[in-house]
Amino acid sequence: MKSYLLDSLENLFQHLAVSHKMFEPQSIPGSEDLHWLPSPKGPTSRYGTSKQVLPLAPAKGFLFPERELLFRFDGQTFIETLPEVAPQVLFGLQSCDLCAIAYQDQFFRQDSYYLARRKATILVGFDCLTPCDGGFCSTVDAGPFVRDGSADLILHPKGNEWLLIPASEQGLNAIQTLNLPPAPAEWRAEREQQQAEVAKMFPTDSHIRTGIERINQATISAEQWQRLGLQCLTCSGCTSLCPTCSCFTTFDTKTEGESNTFVRERCWDSCLYEAFQRETSGHNPSKEAGERLQRYWFHKFSDHYVDEFGRYGCIGCGRCEETCPGGIGVHSIMRRLEKES
Amino acid sequence: MPNIYQPNLMTIKKVINETPDTKTFHLVFQDEELQENFEFETGQFGEYSCFGAGESTFCIASSPTRKGHIECCFRKTGKVTNALFELSEGDTIGFRGPFGNTFPIEEWEGKNVIFVGGGIALPPLRSVIWNLLDLRDKYKDISIVYGARSVADLVYKQEIAEWEARDDVNMVKTVDPGGETDDWDGYVGFVPHILENDFKPDPENTVVVVCGPPIMIKFTFEALERLGFKQDQLITTLENRMKCGLGKCGRCNIGSTYVCIDGPVFKAAEIDLLPPEY
């Protein structure tokens, strides 16, 4: 696809804002953390070469919300509850979070609820020119530059200007009437070169590589998992913030005042909860915290899932490390696996 | 795109009280076209909804060779099964399915087939038992070894009597020690023990299909291996906790296996590859 020269982010933002609801990672007063929030005015000025900061939570909830209605049933018929989502733009996605969305696109490809939201969403990604704290996207093929096929529009800073790459038909359609000039021919090649340079700026990842190897060679004993499991408080912080985690539960609730009307809802669940797999008989395939931890990390780093999804289930954002109160997020776990091998 | 979470409505045509806490439902789709065209294969399962209580996973307990309705059999133990237990003939429930893989009954043609089940684990076997009995000429000896905690806990009592009466079925029934009654005419002892010490099947040209709680599957496989059976002769069906039946909710995931889409039917060799606590 052709690529374009964009002289002002503002132009692109306002152009998209004409027919889309805009969302951007923004800080709220009193905190430096970034949150995905509506951004009617945008764009905020932190894009470009400044130090990369990931939003506290990924954009997962836009497409797979924490709680949603699956159907309404009045005793006779089902009432359609597919979400009606106005066209929206997620502006300012980093490559890791885009890889997670691409992963979930595959996982939820038959899920009409996910798809209704996804089809209404344009993804605008930005190349990261510096590593973020705790991020290791380059180790797991999820960044630092936006991967082909993961965004609709890709933005790459070039001084005060931008290389704009439409990366999907939807992305191309969205900018068609902007009549942008083509980007200088050498910019694409320069971008490729620069990605390799940025990848070198990441701190050592030997513990991640060793941990992945040990998980796949199954050289971690049940006792070692159990020792690590002692530090799991089953808070579900990691699974809630993990951009690829998708376990859910469903439950029925009765509609007040209407005796025969029920709704079925689903909400995020966590495979680290003790009761997640517990059967009615009391039998529980993952009764011990170590067993649950083992399954969780297997799901993130097993080669088995590379066969299925073309990538690991971990996109290297490091959010689990940030949030885990027990000190067993990805870096801590992998360092322990490296040290205690 | 169809809504994969929306059940199809079914009417309960008949309720059979199997034991004090176990019932069988005969179910018919309310949509006539679906009722006409619904197909499944033996070994598959469904997600059954009691609206307002939720969804539960049970196998389809009837044989695909018997058209007209499908059957499920459940014990009241949790929220959904307690709610289902209260329903009567004429009531509506929801059904999603069929899901999962199937018993490889074509591979068993020309062989002896032994079914080994415990307690509420007979329903998954019942589907395939009737499937084979309806194609009786294709198989050699058919044996059923079934046990429960007590005589009262035996499900399908009428069918057990029917299988006992047939010349072409070898019916072995047992109850756990202490679970027998004065007029009990079967064995007393745990299923793996009776299988190994009393029934003693010959491994030659034989497959064994085992269904029960994980601990029973384990002991039964071990007993059969002591009798000379090889892993590729042993088959089971698992019923892990599930919410979706579609490989999405994550509940039944063990290692890289999703019981709902990779199973529920597994060969012993596949079970050995799973983490120990399936």
Side-chain angles (χ1 to χ4, degrees):
Chain A
M1 254 183 215
K2 275 172 79 175
S3 45
Y4 298 90
L5 188 156
L6 180 73
D7 59 4
S8 146
L9 270 191
E10 177 79 26
N11 282 356
L12 173 67
F13 192 97
Q14 298 311 339
H15 174 75
L16 294 172
V18 172
S19 47
H20 298 85
K21 189 169 182 190
M22 305 297 288
F23 292 90
E24 257 194 314
Q26 297 161 68
S27 57
I28 45 177
S31 162
E32 284 180 14
D33 294 330
L34 296 177
H35 303 268
W36 278 100
L37 294 168
S39 181
K41 291 182 186 148
T44 52
S45 59
R46 40 162 208 91
Y47 299 108
T49 50
S50 60
K51 166 84 181 153
Q52 280 301 316
V53 179
L54 273 181
L56 201 62
K60 172 166 83 171
F62 282 101
L63 307 172
F64 172 50
E66 192 170 346
R67 184 171 173 173
E68 73 180 319
L69 212 56
L70 288 183
F71 59 77
R72 198 181 290 280
F73 179 65
D74 67 2
Q76 301 282 318
T77 47
F78 293 99
I79 298 133
E80 188 69 59
T81 56
L82 272 186
E84 286 175 25
V85 184
Q88 59 186 4
V89 170
L90 302 183
F91 194 90
L93 287 155
Q94 279 103 334
S95 180
C96 57
D97 283 347
L98 282 164
C99 284
I101 292 173
Y103 186 93
Q104 292 212 324
D105 282 352
Q106 291 185 68
F107 188 76
F108 283 124
R109 63 187 178 274
Q110 293 165 316
D111 188 306
S112 40
Y113 298 85
Y114 181 90
L115 291 175
R117 293 187 167 85
R118 183 66 182 84
K119 279 180 183 152
T121 309
I122 289 182
L123 308 173
V124 181
F126 284 72
D127 286 343
C128 295
L129 299 194
T130 60
C132 61
D133 290 340
F136 57 98
C137 56
S138 58
T139 310
V140 287
D141 190 25
F145 283 14
V146 177
R147 294 290 189 261
D148 288 347
S150 68
D152 296 303
L153 294 170
I154 302 172
L155 284 154
H156 176 79
K158 289 300 269 183
N160 292 327
E161 296 173 318
W162 298 85
L163 166 66
L164 172 60
I165 308 169
S168 74
E169 215 178 298
Q170 204 182 4
L172 189 64
N173 290 339
I175 59 159
Q176 216 143 39
T177 56
L178 264 177
N179 295 319
L180 295 169
E186 65 278 14
W187 279 15
R188 290 291 284 266
E190 285 170 15
R191 176 177 179 253
E192 294 301 316
Q193 273 177 356
Q194 198 180 2
Q195 161 143 254
E197 285 159 28
V198 177
K200 284 183 204 151
M201 292 159 69
F202 282 77
T204 174
D205 61 359
S206 71
H207 60 299
I208 305 277
R209 293 182 189 277
T210 305
I212 292 176
E213 213 175 279
R214 290 201 65 202
I215 286 168
N216 281 292
Q217 290 172 353
T219 60
I220 306 156
S221 68
E223 291 72 30
Q224 189 170 3
W225 281 118
Q226 192 52 25
R227 275 200 304 281
L228 294 163
L230 290 174
Q231 286 171 245
C232 178
L233 309 182
T234 62
C235 70
S236 79
C238 54
T239 49
S240 296
L241 288 184
C242 178
T244 61
C245 269
S246 55
C247 285
F248 63 81
T249 188
T250 57
F251 56 94
D252 286 13
T253 44
K254 211 166 175 174
T255 309
E256 253 176 73
E258 295 172 70
S259 62
N260 267 335
T261 301
F262 302 101
V263 295
R264 180 160 298 160
E265 296 182 69
R266 77 166 157 193
C267 70
W268 294 353
D269 205 339
S270 175
C271 65
L272 292 165
Y273 288 152
E274 193 273 338
F276 183 69
Q277 290 197 304
R278 192 174 63 213
E279 296 161 19
T280 329
S281 65
H283 176 72
N284 188 346
S286 50
K287 188 170 65 209
E288 303 294 337
E291 292 165 336
R292 300 194 290 274
L293 229 55
Q294 178 179 12
R295 197 187 41 194
Y296 176 78
W297 290 111
F298 181 87
H299 213 140
K300 298 301 163 196
F301 288 115
S302 166
D303 290 340
H304 174 87
Y305 295 100
V306 178
D307 296 343
E308 194 176 344
F309 293 99
R311 60 158 305 103
Y312 284 131
C314 172
I315 48 82
C317 67
R319 288 186 178 98
C320 52
E321 182 71 24
E322 274 295 299
T323 194
C324 180
I328 44 168
V330 64
H331 289 293
S332 306
I333 280 269
M334 298 308 229
R335 280 196 194 99
R336 290 271 291 275
L337 293 180
E338 185 182 41
K339 208 170 92 188
E340 296 169 17
S341 58
Chain B
M1 174 173 284
N3 182 342
I4 54 177
Y5 305 110
Q6 184 173 306
N8 293 297
L9 297 179
M10 299 194 90
T11 302
I12 303 171
K13 284 289 175 195
K14 189 176 174 185
V15 178
I16 301 169
N17 296 311
E18 301 285 357
T19 76
D21 60 2
T22 308
K23 282 185 179 179
T24 287
F25 285 169
H26 290 198
L27 301 165
V28 175
F29 288 103
Q30 293 178 1
D31 180 315
E32 280 173 23
E33 201 183 321
L34 180 60
Q35 174 60 29
E36 188 67 27
N37 299 324
F38 180 77
E39 282 185 2
F40 72 100
E41 289 183 60
T42 186
Q44 292 191 289
F45 67 93
E47 295 290 336
Y48 300 77
S49 280
C50 181
F51 295 109
E55 237 173 4
S56 257
T57 311
F58 319 123
C59 65
I60 301 174
S62 46
S63 167
T65 49
R66 310 274 173 111
K67 308 277 184 198
H69 69 266
I70 62 166
E71 295 180 33
C72 71
C73 179
F74 60 94
R75 173 179 289 163
K76 62 166 181 171
T77 40
K79 186 180 170 190
V80 178
T81 47
N82 268 285
L84 281 171
F85 206 80
E86 298 305 314
L87 298 181
S88 318
E89 285 168 18
D91 285 344
T92 293
I93 70 160
F95 176 88
R96 290 188 300 120
F99 296 130
N101 67 355
T102 63
F103 286 114
I105 57 170
E106 282 165 14
E107 286 176 23
W108 306 342
E109 287 178 12
K111 294 183 178 181
N112 306 307
V113 185
I114 303 170
F115 298 100
V116 183
I120 189 68
L122 189 57
L125 298 180
R126 177 183 180 262
S127 169
V128 62
I129 289 170
W130 280 120
N131 201 147
L132 262 53
L133 291 178
D134 288 343
L135 304 166
R136 189 65 189 87
D137 294 347
K138 294 186 174 184
Y139 303 91
K140 291 182 75 184
D141 292 351
I142 292 179
S143 309
I144 302 165
V145 182
Y146 173 56
R149 282 177 306 195
S150 71
V151 175
D153 286 308
L154 293 163
V155 298
Y156 300 138
K157 289 188 182 68
Q158 201 181 326
E159 278 160 278
I160 290 171
E162 201 177 324
W163 293 332
E164 278 183 307
R166 284 177 72 135
D167 295 336
D168 59 355
V169 176
N170 189 6
M171 180 75 219
V172 178
K173 59 186 186 186
T174 180
V175 293
D176 292 353
E180 67 273 31
T181 50
D182 290 342
D183 58 352
W184 174 242
D185 59 350
Y187 287 97
V188 175
F190 297 109
V191 169
H193 184 86
I194 299 296
L195 184 71
E196 186 175 5
N197 299 290
D198 296 282
F199 185 57
K200 294 182 201 163
D202 180 356
E204 181 62 30
N205 194 32
T206 302
V207 292
V208 188
V209 190
V210 182
C211 188
I215 192 75
M216 187 204 119
I217 296 175
K218 182 174 180 284
F219 285 131
T220 306
F221 278 179
E222 284 172 8
L224 288 163
E225 283 174 30
R226 283 193 295 273
L227 289 168
F229 282 85
K230 300 279 176 270
Q231 285 218 324
D232 61 2
Q233 294 172 277
L234 310 178
I235 288 154
T236 187
T237 173
L238 300 180
E239 270 190 18
N240 286 48
R241 189 172 177 193
M242 298 172 193
K243 283 282 179 180
C244 70
L246 300 154
K248 299 296 154 201
C249 75
R251 278 280 176 320
C252 67
N253 168 234
I254 298 171
S256 58
T257 297
Y258 284 81
V259 173
C260 65
I261 46 179
D262 300 317
V265 176
F266 293 94
K267 292 189 171 156
E270 295 169 321
I271 291 281
D272 262 17
L273 295 176
L274 297 179
E277 283 276 315
Y278 53 82

Coordinates of all heavy atoms in Angstrom, one line a residue, chain B residues 55-116:
Chain B
E55 N -26.7 -22.3 32.7 CA -26.4 -23.4 31.8 C -25.6 -24.5 32.4 O -24.7 -24.2 33.2 CB -25.7 -22.8 30.6 CG -26.4 -23.0 29.3 CD -25.7 -22.3 28.1 OE1 -24.6 -21.7 28.3 OE2 -26.2 -22.4 27.0
S56 N -25.8 -25.7 32.1 CA -25.0 -26.8 32.6 C -24.7 -27.7 31.4 O -25.4 -27.8 30.4 CB -25.8 -27.7 33.6 OG -25.4 -27.4 34.9
T57 N -23.6 -28.5 31.6 CA -23.1 -29.3 30.5 C -23.4 -30.8 30.8 O -23.1 -31.3 31.8 CB -21.5 -29.2 30.5 OG1 -21.2 -27.9 30.4 CG2 -21.0 -30.0 29.3
F58 N -24.1 -31.4 29.9 CA -24.4 -32.9 30.0 C -24.2 -33.5 28.6 O -24.4 -32.8 27.6 CB -25.8 -33.3 30.4 CG -26.4 -32.4 31.5 CD1 -27.6 -31.8 31.3 CD2 -25.7 -32.3 32.7 CE1 -28.2 -31.0 32.3 CE2 -26.3 -31.6 33.7 CZ -27.5 -30.9 33.5
C59 N -23.8 -34.8 28.6 CA -23.8 -35.5 27.3 C -25.2 -35.6 26.8 O -26.2 -35.5 27.5 CB -23.2 -36.8 27.5 SG -24.2 -37.8 28.5
I60 N -25.3 -35.9 25.5 CA -26.6 -36.4 24.9 C -26.6 -37.9 25.2 O -25.8 -38.6 24.7 CB -26.7 -36.1 23.4 CG1 -26.5 -34.6 23.2 CG2 -28.0 -36.6 22.9 CD1 -26.4 -34.2 21.7
A61 N -27.6 -38.3 26.1 CA -27.6 -39.6 26.6 C -28.3 -40.6 25.7 O -28.3 -41.8 25.9 CB -28.2 -39.6 28.0
S62 N -29.0 -40.1 24.7 CA -29.7 -41.0 23.7 C -28.8 -41.3 22.5 O -27.8 -40.6 22.3 CB -31.0 -40.4 23.3 OG -30.8 -39.0 22.9
S63 N -29.2 -42.3 21.8 CA -28.4 -42.7 20.6 C -28.9 -42.0 19.4 O -30.1 -41.8 19.2 CB -28.6 -44.2 20.4 OG -28.1 -44.6 19.1
P64 N -27.9 -41.6 18.5 CA -28.4 -41.0 17.3 C -29.2 -41.9 16.4 O -29.9 -41.4 15.5 CB -27.0 -40.6 16.6 CG -26.0 -41.3 17.3 CD -26.5 -41.7 18.7
T65 N -29.2 -43.2 16.7 CA -30.0 -44.1 15.9 C -31.5 -44.0 16.3 O -32.3 -44.5 15.6 CB -29.5 -45.5 16.1 OG1 -29.4 -45.8 17.5 CG2 -28.2 -45.8 15.4
R66 N -31.7 -43.4 17.4 CA -33.1 -43.3 17.9 C -33.6 -41.9 17.7 O -33.2 -41.0 18.4 CB -33.2 -43.6 19.4 CG -32.5 -44.9 19.8 CD -33.5 -46.1 19.6 NE -32.9 -47.4 19.8 CZ -33.1 -48.2 20.8 NH1 -33.9 -47.9 21.8 NH2 -32.5 -49.4 20.8
K67 N -34.4 -41.6 16.6 CA -34.8 -40.3 16.3 C -36.0 -39.9 17.1 O -36.6 -40.7 17.8 CB -35.1 -40.2 14.8 CG -34.0 -40.7 13.9 CD -33.0 -39.7 13.6 CE -31.9 -40.2 12.6 NZ -30.7 -39.4 12.7
G68 N -36.4 -38.7 16.9 CA -37.7 -38.2 17.6 C -37.5 -37.3 18.8 O -38.2 -36.4 19.0
H69 N -36.5 -37.7 19.6 CA -36.2 -36.8 20.7 C -34.8 -37.0 21.2 O -34.2 -38.0 20.7 CB -37.2 -37.0 21.9 CG -37.0 -38.3 22.6 ND1 -37.7 -39.4 22.2 CD2 -36.2 -38.7 23.5 CE1 -37.4 -40.5 23.0 NE2 -36.4 -40.1 23.8
I70 N -34.2 -36.1 22.0 CA -32.9 -36.4 22.6 C -33.1 -36.5 24.1 O -34.2 -36.1 24.6 CB -31.8 -35.4 22.3 CG1 -32.2 -34.0 22.8 CG2 -31.5 -35.4 20.8 CD1 -31.0 -33.0 22.8
E71 N -32.2 -37.2 24.8 CA -32.3 -37.3 26.2 C -31.1 -36.8 26.9 O -30.0 -36.9 26.4 CB -32.5 -38.8 26.5 CG -33.8 -39.4 26.0 CD -34.0 -40.9 26.3 OE1 -33.5 -41.3 27.4 OE2 -34.6 -41.6 25.5
C72 N -31.4 -36.3 28.1 CA -30.3 -36.0 29.0 C -30.6 -36.5 30.4 O -31.8 -36.8 30.7 CB -30.0 -34.4 29.1 SG -31.3 -33.5 29.9
C73 N -29.6 -36.8 31.1 CA -29.8 -37.3 32.5 C -28.8 -36.6 33.4 O -27.7 -36.4 33.1 CB -29.4 -38.8 32.4 SG -29.6 -39.6 34.0
F74 N -29.4 -36.1 34.5 CA -28.5 -35.3 35.4 C -28.9 -35.5 36.9 O -30.0 -35.9 37.2 CB -28.7 -33.8 35.1 CG -30.1 -33.3 35.2 CD1 -30.6 -32.7 36.4 CD2 -31.1 -33.5 34.2 CE1 -31.9 -32.3 36.6 CE2 -32.4 -33.1 34.3 CZ -32.8 -32.5 35.5
R75 N -27.9 -35.3 37.7 CA -28.1 -35.4 39.1 C -28.2 -33.9 39.7 O -27.4 -33.1 39.3 CB -26.9 -36.1 39.8 CG -27.0 -36.1 41.3 CD -25.8 -36.9 41.9 NE -26.0 -38.3 41.7 CZ -25.0 -39.2 41.8 NH1 -23.8 -38.8 42.1 NH2 -25.2 -40.5 41.6
K76 N -29.1 -33.7 40.6 CA -29.2 -32.4 41.2 C -28.1 -32.2 42.2 O -28.0 -32.9 43.2 CB -30.6 -32.1 41.8 CG -31.0 -32.9 42.9 CD -32.3 -32.2 43.6 CE -32.7 -33.1 44.7 NZ -33.7 -32.4 45.5
T77 N -27.2 -31.3 41.9 CA -26.0 -31.0 42.8 C -25.7 -29.6 42.9 O -25.2 -29.1 43.9 CB -24.8 -31.7 42.3 OG1 -24.7 -31.6 40.9 CG2 -24.7 -33.2 42.7
G78 N -26.0 -28.8 41.8 CA -25.6 -27.4 41.8 C -26.8 -26.5 41.5 O -27.9 -27.0 41.5
K79 N -26.5 -25.2 41.3 CA -27.6 -24.3 41.1 C -28.5 -24.6 39.9 O -29.7 -24.7 40.0 CB -26.9 -22.9 40.8 CG -27.9 -21.8 40.8 CD -27.1 -20.5 40.5 CE -28.1 -19.3 40.2 NZ -27.4 -18.1 39.8
V80 N -27.8 -24.9 38.7 CA -28.6 -25.2 37.5 C -29.3 -26.5 37.6 O -30.5 -26.6 37.3 CB -27.7 -25.1 36.3 CG1 -28.5 -25.4 35.0 CG2 -27.1 -23.7 36.1
T81 N -28.6 -27.5 38.1 CA -29.3 -28.9 38.1 C -30.4 -28.9 39.1 O -31.4 -29.6 38.9 CB -28.3 -30.0 38.4 OG1 -27.4 -29.6 39.5 CG2 -27.4 -30.2 37.2
N82 N -30.3 -28.1 40.2 CA -31.4 -28.0 41.2 C -32.6 -27.4 40.5 O -33.7 -27.8 40.7 CB -31.0 -27.3 42.4 CG -30.4 -28.2 43.5 OD1 -31.2 -28.9 44.2 ND2 -29.1 -28.3 43.7
A83 N -32.3 -26.3 39.7 CA -33.4 -25.6 39.1 C -34.1 -26.5 38.0 O -35.3 -26.6 37.9 CB -32.9 -24.3 38.4
L84 N -33.2 -27.3 37.2 CA -33.8 -28.2 36.2 C -34.6 -29.3 36.9 O -35.6 -29.7 36.3 CB -32.6 -28.8 35.4 CG -31.9 -28.0 34.4 CD1 -30.7 -28.8 33.9 CD2 -32.8 -27.7 33.2
F85 N -34.2 -29.7 38.0 CA -34.9 -30.8 38.7 C -36.3 -30.5 39.0 O -37.2 -31.3 39.1 CB -34.1 -31.1 40.0 CG -34.3 -32.5 40.5 CD1 -33.5 -33.5 39.9 CD2 -35.2 -32.8 41.5 CE1 -33.7 -34.9 40.4 CE2 -35.3 -34.1 42.0 CZ -34.6 -35.1 41.4
E86 N -36.6 -29.2 39.2 CA -37.9 -28.7 39.5 C -38.9 -28.6 38.3 O -40.1 -28.4 38.5 CB -37.9 -27.3 40.2 CG -37.1 -27.3 41.5 CD -37.6 -28.3 42.5 OE1 -38.8 -28.3 42.7 OE2 -36.8 -29.0 43.1
L87 N -38.3 -28.8 37.1 CA -39.1 -28.6 35.9 C -40.0 -29.9 35.7 O -39.6 -30.9 36.1 CB -38.3 -28.3 34.7 CG -37.4 -27.0 34.8 CD1 -36.6 -26.8 33.5 CD2 -38.3 -25.8 35.0
S88 N -41.0 -29.6 34.9 CA -42.0 -30.7 34.6 C -42.2 -30.9 33.1 O -41.8 -30.1 32.3 CB -43.3 -30.5 35.3 OG -43.2 -29.9 36.5
E89 N -42.9 -31.9 32.8 CA -43.3 -32.2 31.4 C -44.0 -30.9 30.9 O -44.9 -30.4 31.5 CB -44.2 -33.4 31.3 CG -43.3 -34.7 31.4 CD -44.2 -35.9 31.6 OE1 -45.4 -35.9 31.3 OE2 -43.6 -36.9 32.0
G90 N -43.7 -30.5 29.6 CA -44.3 -29.3 29.1 C -43.5 -28.1 29.2 O -43.7 -27.1 28.5
D91 N -42.6 -28.1 30.2 CA -41.7 -26.9 30.4 C -40.7 -26.7 29.3 O -40.4 -27.7 28.6 CB -41.0 -27.0 31.8 CG -42.0 -26.7 32.9 OD1 -43.1 -26.2 32.7 OD2 -41.6 -27.1 34.1
T92 N -40.2 -25.5 29.2 CA -39.2 -25.1 28.2 C -37.8 -25.1 28.8 O -37.6 -24.5 29.9 CB -39.5 -23.8 27.6 OG1 -40.8 -23.9 26.9 CG2 -38.5 -23.3 26.6
I93 N -36.8 -25.6 28.1 CA -35.4 -25.4 28.5 C -34.7 -25.0 27.2 O -35.2 -25.0 26.1 CB -34.8 -26.6 29.1 CG1 -34.5 -27.7 28.1 CG2 -35.5 -27.2 30.3 CD1 -33.5 -28.7 28.5
G94 N -33.4 -24.5 27.4 CA -32.6 -24.2 26.3 C -31.6 -25.2 26.0 O -31.1 -25.9 26.9
F95 N -31.2 -25.3 24.8 CA -30.1 -26.3 24.4 C -29.2 -25.7 23.4 O -29.6 -25.1 22.4 CB -30.8 -27.5 23.8 CG -29.8 -28.6 23.3 CD1 -29.3 -29.5 24.1 CD2 -29.4 -28.5 21.9 CE1 -28.3 -30.5 23.6 CE2 -28.5 -29.5 21.5 CZ -28.0 -30.5 22.3
R96 N -27.9 -25.8 23.6 CA -26.9 -25.5 22.6 C -26.1 -26.7 22.3 O -25.7 -27.4 23.2 CB -26.0 -24.3 23.0 CG -26.7 -23.0 23.1 CD -25.7 -21.8 23.4 NE -25.0 -22.0 24.6 CZ -23.6 -22.1 24.7 NH1 -22.9 -22.1 23.6 NH2 -23.0 -22.3 25.8
G97 N -25.8 -27.0 21.1 CA -25.0 -28.1 20.7 C -25.5 -28.7 19.4 O -26.3 -28.1 18.7
P98 N -25.0 -29.9 19.0 CA -24.1 -30.7 19.7 C -22.6 -30.2 19.6 O -22.3 -29.5 18.7 CB -24.2 -32.0 19.0 CG -24.5 -31.7 17.6 CD -25.3 -30.4 17.6
F99 N -21.9 -30.4 20.7 CA -20.5 -30.0 20.7 C -19.6 -31.2 20.9 O -20.0 -32.2 21.4 CB -20.3 -29.0 21.9 CG -21.0 -27.7 21.8 CD1 -21.8 -27.3 22.9 CD2 -21.0 -27.0 20.7 CE1 -22.5 -26.1 22.8 CE2 -21.7 -25.7 20.6 CZ -22.4 -25.3 21.7
G100 N -18.3 -31.0 20.6 CA -17.3 -32.0 20.9 C -17.1 -33.1 19.9 O -17.9 -33.1 18.9
N101 N -16.2 -34.0 20.1 CA -15.9 -35.1 19.2 C -16.8 -36.3 19.6 O -17.7 -36.1 20.4 CB -14.4 -35.4 19.2 CG -13.9 -36.0 20.5 OD1 -14.7 -36.1 21.5 ND2 -12.7 -36.4 20.6
T102 N -16.5 -37.4 18.9 CA -17.5 -38.5 19.0 C -16.7 -39.8 19.3 O -15.5 -39.9 19.1 CB -18.2 -38.7 17.7 OG1 -17.3 -39.0 16.7 CG2 -18.9 -37.4 17.3
F103 N -17.4 -40.8 19.8 CA -16.8 -42.1 19.9 C -16.5 -42.7 18.6 O -17.4 -42.6 17.7 CB -17.8 -43.1 20.7 CG -17.9 -42.8 22.1 CD1 -19.1 -42.3 22.7 CD2 -16.8 -43.0 23.0 CE1 -19.2 -42.1 24.0 CE2 -17.0 -42.7 24.4 CZ -18.2 -42.3 24.9
P104 N -15.3 -43.2 18.4 CA -14.9 -43.7 17.0 C -15.5 -45.1 16.8 O -14.8 -46.1 16.7 CB -13.4 -43.8 17.1 CG -13.1 -44.0 18.6 CD -14.2 -43.4 19.4
I105 N -16.8 -45.2 16.7 CA -17.5 -46.5 16.7 C -17.2 -47.3 15.4 O -17.3 -48.5 15.4 CB -19.0 -46.4 16.9 CG1 -19.7 -45.5 15.8 CG2 -19.4 -46.0 18.3 CD1 -21.2 -45.6 15.8
E106 N -16.8 -46.6 14.3 CA -16.4 -47.4 13.1 C -15.1 -48.1 13.3 O -15.0 -49.2 12.7 CB -16.4 -46.4 11.9 CG -17.8 -46.1 11.4 CD -17.8 -44.9 10.5 OE1 -16.8 -44.5 10.0 OE2 -19.0 -44.4 10.3
E107 N -14.2 -47.6 14.1 CA -13.0 -48.3 14.4 C -13.2 -49.5 15.2 O -12.3 -50.4 15.2 CB -12.0 -47.4 15.2 CG -11.4 -46.2 14.4 CD -10.5 -45.3 15.4 OE1 -10.1 -45.8 16.4 OE2 -10.4 -44.2 15.0
W108 N -14.3 -49.6 15.9 CA -14.5 -50.8 16.7 C -15.3 -51.9 16.0 O -15.5 -53.0 16.6 CB -15.4 -50.4 18.0 CG -14.9 -49.2 18.8 CD1 -13.6 -48.7 18.8 CD2 -15.7 -48.4 19.7 NE1 -13.6 -47.6 19.6 CE2 -14.8 -47.4 20.2 CE3 -17.0 -48.4 20.1 CZ2 -15.2 -46.5 21.1 CZ3 -17.4 -47.5 21.0 CH2 -16.5 -46.5 21.6
E109 N -15.6 -51.7 14.8 CA -16.4 -52.8 14.1 C -15.6 -54.1 14.1 O -14.3 -54.0 13.8 CB -16.7 -52.3 12.7 CG -17.8 -51.3 12.7 CD -18.2 -50.7 11.3 OE1 -17.7 -51.3 10.3 OE2 -18.9 -49.7 11.2
G110 N -16.2 -55.2 14.3 CA -15.5 -56.5 14.3 C -14.8 -56.8 15.6 O -14.1 -57.8 15.8
K111 N -15.0 -55.9 16.6 CA -14.3 -56.1 17.9 C -15.3 -56.3 19.0 O -16.5 -56.1 18.9 CB -13.4 -54.9 18.2 CG -12.3 -54.6 17.3 CD -11.5 -53.4 17.7 CE -10.3 -53.3 16.7 NZ -9.4 -52.3 17.0
N112 N -14.7 -56.9 20.2 CA -15.5 -56.9 21.4 C -15.4 -55.5 22.0 O -14.4 -54.9 22.0 CB -14.9 -57.9 22.4 CG -14.7 -59.3 21.8 OD1 -15.7 -59.8 21.2 ND2 -13.5 -59.8 21.8
V113 N -16.6 -55.1 22.6 CA -16.6 -53.7 23.2 C -17.1 -53.9 24.6 O -18.1 -54.5 24.9 CB -17.5 -52.7 22.4 CG1 -17.3 -51.4 23.0 CG2 -17.1 -52.7 20.9
I114 N -16.3 -53.4 25.6 CA -16.7 -53.4 27.0 C -16.9 -52.0 27.5 O -16.1 -51.1 27.3 CB -15.6 -54.0 27.8 CG1 -15.3 -55.4 27.3 CG2 -16.0 -54.1 29.3 CD1 -14.1 -56.0 28.0
F115 N -18.1 -51.7 28.0 CA -18.4 -50.4 28.6 C -18.2 -50.5 30.1 O -18.8 -51.4 30.8 CB -19.8 -50.0 28.3 CG -20.0 -49.8 26.8 CD1 -20.6 -50.8 26.0 CD2 -19.5 -48.7 26.1 CE1 -20.8 -50.7 24.7 CE2 -19.7 -48.5 24.8 CZ -20.3 -49.5 24.0
V116 N -17.5 -49.5 30.7 CA -17.3 -49.5 32.2 C -17.7 -48.2 32.7 O -17.1 -47.2 32.3 CB -15.8 -49.8 32.5 CG1 -15.7 -49.9 34.1 CG2 -15.3 -51.1 31.9

